[in-house]
């Protein structure tokens, strides 16, 4: 059968699909998304949680990956992206990360993305498809992220730069939600910036993030061997 494919818009109304995400939204948005609302030890348990992807990618969110709308400002934002993408990347596709026909990686991902703490790896090829690992993790080279030292200490092991336990490596997804942080579930511009949406399996209930102060407070296993990080 040939012809146009049906899709679902960001407002959850049917239409002929103009964008790839609208095909995915047929199952992953609106009331259909409730089919995926099952608890599983194999997936992150988010602080601000919804299984409706139209809410996770909504442009009204404090932070989101640009799947259903364009990047808000391609000149000021996106410093963590690889150089070729910083000014040219307008949107990303679901299939940039997912292999919808099948994958050997959980969540039908195209590359490994360890999400258990402590992490058994220090490389996150899925994230680093687009993001510059050196910019994010190396506080010596220029340019680098303002949070490079803290990213390094988490991803490579708590305060590994000063010789503490390097076995407590933290996966990116313990703090960051790769889809977006839904305002519809209470996330605000201070608590949900920078894709921060804690995995409460590891941070414990009621984690707090302040994007203005760049501080976080968690009570779970993340910081049992180190003082809660203030100044992230």
């Amino acid at each position: 059968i040939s012809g146009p494919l049906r899709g679902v818009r960001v407002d959850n109304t049917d239409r002929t699909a103009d964008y790839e995400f609208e095909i995915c939204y047929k199952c992953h948005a609106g009331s259909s998304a409730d089919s995926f609302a099952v608890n599983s030890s194999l997936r992150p348990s988010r602080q601000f949680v919804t299984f409706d992807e139209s809410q996770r990618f909504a442009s009204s969110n404090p932070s989101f990956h640009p799947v259903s709308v364009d990047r808000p400002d391609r000149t000021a934002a996106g410093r963590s992206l690889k150089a070729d993408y910083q000014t040219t990347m307008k949107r990303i596709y679901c299939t940039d990360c997912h292999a919808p026909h099948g994958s050997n990686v959980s969540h039908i991902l195209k590359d490994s993305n360890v999400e258990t703490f402590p992490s058994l790896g220090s490389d996150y090829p899925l994230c680093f498809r687009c993001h510059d690992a050196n910019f994010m993790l190396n506080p010596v080279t220029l340019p680098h992220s303002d949070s490079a030292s803290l990213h390094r200490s988490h991803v490579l092991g708590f305060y590994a730069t000063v010789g503490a336990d390097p076995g407590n490596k933290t996966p990116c997804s313990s703090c960051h939600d790769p889809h977006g942080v839904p305002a519809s579930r209470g996330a605000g511009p201070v608590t949900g910036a920078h894709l921060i949406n804690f995995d409460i399996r590891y941070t414990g209930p009621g984690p707090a993030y302040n994007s203005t102060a760049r501080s976080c407070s968690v009570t779970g296993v993340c910081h049992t061997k180190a003082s809660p990080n203030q100044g992230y």
Side-chain angles (χ1 to χ4, degrees), residues 1 36 50 55 92 99 129 139 143 145 186 195 201 206 227:
I1 299 175
F36 300 92
T50 178
Q55 295 185 31
I92 61 175
R129 275 176 168 256
S145 165
L195 290 178
R201 293 180 301 172
S227 298

Side-chain angles (χ1 to χ4, degrees), residues 16-31:
T16 298
D18 290 332
Y19 300 97
E20 179 190 85
F21 76 86
E22 293 175 340
I23 298 172
C24 302
Y25 276 12
K26 287 192 294 183
C27 294
H28 291 281
S31 59

